[in-house]
Amino acid sequence: MGLRFCSLASGSSGNCHFIASEATSLLIDVGLSGKRVEQSLERIGERIQDVQGILVTHEHRDHIHGVGILSRRFDIPIYANAHTWAVMENYIGDVREKNIMVFDTGKEFCIKDIQIKPYSISHDAADPVAFSFYHDDGKISITTDLGCVTDKIKKEIKDSNLLMIESNHDVEMLKMGRYPYYLKKRILGDKGHLSNEAAGKLIVDMMQESAPPEMVLLGHLSQENNFPELAYETVKEILVSNKIQVGTDICIDLTYRDKESKIYYIEK
Ligand SMILES: [Zn+2]
Ligand SMILES: [Zn+2]
């Protein structure tokens, strides 16, 4: 048996993903209301009562909105690094002492039978991280909310069976759009968000590796500066122009702001 994964929601209006082995169920970020997470899990045949940990990437509202509520209601431990905790605790309300779990960025740890590696990403938060999850020989990496991809990140996501990467915006749409200048600059900057094009290029790079990902999910799509079809087609075009066949060499899927993704199984 291996890992299963489902993105319950992804985008600047709220992020929450579910990952589980046969013995362990976890949530990555809860930027949705507690109620919505409960309903979402129910729709994919899972139960909030089985969730044994909430992992937090960074303290932006679209990632922590429902963290405190779920922890209090279902007695779930919250895992974040110290800098993220320092800011986050002002926004999520009181959490039981025993549910405050602190990890070190860059240092692997386990929650039951899932091994987790948090690593730094470039984003305008206190100490933002992405996560890779290991179980048996399977690996899943979730990497959104980053302004640029460093060699270190490429090294961390190498050998993932499933990789979720950010495909936030179309650069032209963002530049032409109605966002104020400072916000455009922030999103386009090194500590902002990855464009469709950057996502495509990263996938091309990963395909040169010895064990390229079998499945890539595009995440954190902007409502204002992107369309799902545009993200998908832009990425596909970049792959095809690099002689990579989508559907044969690699599968690409979308994740959604307002509904669950498919459920993905990594069987090893
Ligand atoms: Zn975000
Ligand atoms: Zn963010």
Side-chain angles (χ1 to χ4, degrees):
M1 288 289 278
L3 287 167
R4 56 191 191 280
F5 175 83
C6 178
S7 167
L8 306 184
S10 181
S12 25
S13 49
N15 297 275
C16 185
H17 315 300
F18 173 82
I19 190 164
S21 65
E22 50 280 16
T24 315
S25 300
L26 305 172
L27 292 176
I28 306 142
D29 291 332
V30 182
L32 310 171
S33 73
K35 192 89 227 140
R36 188 166 153 204
V37 174
E38 276 183 67
Q39 290 166 344
S40 244
L41 285 173
E42 221 169 89
R43 276 196 290 273
I44 62 163
E46 306 285 350
R47 285 160 21 103
I48 184 72
Q49 289 83 356
D50 295 334
V51 171
Q52 288 136 328
I54 298 170
L55 298 148
V56 179
T57 57
H58 65 296
E59 74 281 7
H60 287 162
R61 187 183 154 82
D62 58 320
H63 297 260
I64 64 162
H65 178 58
V67 164
I69 300 154
L70 282 188
S71 174
R72 281 187 291 279
R73 197 176 298 159
F74 299 99
D75 198 21
I76 306 171
I78 304 167
Y79 296 76
N81 60 35
H83 291 298
T84 301
W85 265 117
V87 187
M88 175 170 74
E89 62 188 0
N90 301 311
Y91 298 100
I92 63 170
D94 286 337
V95 173
R96 279 181 208 106
E97 192 75 38
K98 69 176 177 83
N99 287 332
I100 299 177
M101 309 297 274
V102 184
F103 61 70
D104 291 328
T105 303
K107 221 162 129 189
E108 290 168 19
F109 62 99
C110 286
I111 301 178
K112 298 183 91 181
D113 62 356
I114 299 181
Q115 194 182 346
I116 300 148
K117 171 89 185 273
Y119 42 91
S120 283
I121 51 172
S122 177
H123 190 54
D124 55 354
D127 190 5
V129 298
F131 294 109
S132 289
F133 299 88
Y134 301 81
H135 175 76
D136 292 343
D137 285 328
K139 176 175 178 182
I140 293 179
S141 298
I142 316 292
T143 314
T144 68
D145 294 73
L146 66 172
C148 60
V149 182
T150 59
D151 286 346
K152 208 180 156 300
I153 292 173
K154 284 186 196 166
K155 222 172 112 193
E156 295 290 354
I157 63 179
K158 233 177 85 168
D159 303 331
S160 299
N161 303 99
L162 182 149
L163 174 63
M164 177 167 176
I165 55 170
E166 172 158 44
S167 194
N168 179 258
H169 56 272
D170 176 81
V171 174
E172 289 313 310
M173 264 182 91
L174 174 67
K175 282 184 177 164
M176 305 296 285
R178 61 181 183 138
Y179 274 13
Y181 177 71
Y182 77 91
L183 199 49
K184 290 182 182 180
K185 211 172 140 197
R186 180 204 154 226
I187 295 169
L188 289 167
D190 266 3
K191 294 191 162 205
H193 292 279
L194 280 193
S195 67
N196 297 336
E197 208 172 297
K201 284 182 182 155
L202 174 59
I203 301 169
V204 170
D205 285 351
M206 297 319 289
M207 292 305 284
Q208 321 299 332
E209 298 286 348
S210 52
E214 295 129 41
M215 171 62 69
V216 173
L217 306 182
L218 306 180
H220 215 290
L221 270 66
S222 164
Q223 182 166 19
E224 188 80 17
N225 304 306
N226 212 349
F227 295 109
E229 303 74 25
L230 180 61
Y232 184 87
E233 288 304 326
T234 305
V235 167
K236 187 175 169 188
E237 211 167 280
I238 293 170
L239 295 186
V240 170
S241 68
N242 281 276
K243 306 207 168 14
I244 298 163
Q245 298 310 317
V246 175
T248 320
D249 300 328
I250 188 168
C251 292
I252 309 280
D253 265 349
L254 289 162
T255 60
Y256 306 94
R257 204 169 31 248
D258 50 357
K259 62 174 183 184
E260 299 83 32
S261 70
K262 291 180 207 158
I263 305 168
Y264 299 91
Y265 297 91
I266 310 293
E267 308 279 4
K268 287 282 151 188

